[in-house]
Amino acid sequence: MKLLTKEIINKTNKITSGQIPADKVKVTAKFFDPTGSFTWFLTELDEDLDYAFGFVMSEWCWQGELGPFSINELQNAKGQLGLGIERDKLWDNKTTLKEVMDNPSKYY
């Protein structure tokens, strides 16, 4: 599955190192491992469309944490049963980073 669409790329902020307040940052995409426990919420991208920043959650860190991740690594990752990382096609692009951080279990 293609993780980044033109719409997602156009709506995602460029890397700013957290200079925008969380209540102003939109989560433009949600990626998840269908056979694992990781979920990535995209908020920023670099110009090469690989280095990304956002909120990451897993069974080991259910409260989540902010940090970088690589779109290429997600695109090439294979989990159990050989399934790759998926993009939540129903994600609305209106949810703010603050909303996800304040209530992570709602979006996990």
Side-chain angles (χ1 to χ4, degrees), residues 77-103:
K78 298 293 181 217
Q80 297 177 21
L81 308 174
L83 297 175
I85 303 303
E86 298 280 335
R87 175 176 34 88
D88 183 344
K89 293 180 180 180
L90 301 177
W91 188 255
D92 66 11
N93 295 324
K94 296 175 185 169
T95 305
T96 66
L97 177 58
K98 181 169 177 24
E99 290 172 305
V100 174
M101 291 173 66
D102 286 350
N103 194 1

Side-chain angles (χ1 to χ4, degrees), residues 12-65:
T12 304
N13 290 324
K14 299 298 179 220
I15 295 287
T16 63
S17 301
Q19 296 174 359
I20 303 171
D23 62 334
K24 303 288 186 217
V25 175
K26 298 291 184 194
V27 175
T28 55
K30 175 184 173 183
F31 310 118
F32 62 95
D33 180 349
T35 60
S37 71
F38 278 86
T39 303
W40 297 263
F41 298 91
L42 176 68
T43 60
E44 300 176 23
L45 273 171
D46 71 352
E47 292 178 11
D48 294 332
L49 306 178
D50 178 33
Y51 184 81
F53 189 84
F55 193 66
V56 183
M57 297 170 54
S58 76
E59 67 181 271
W60 298 282
C61 187
W62 59 268
Q63 73 277 14
E65 63 183 9

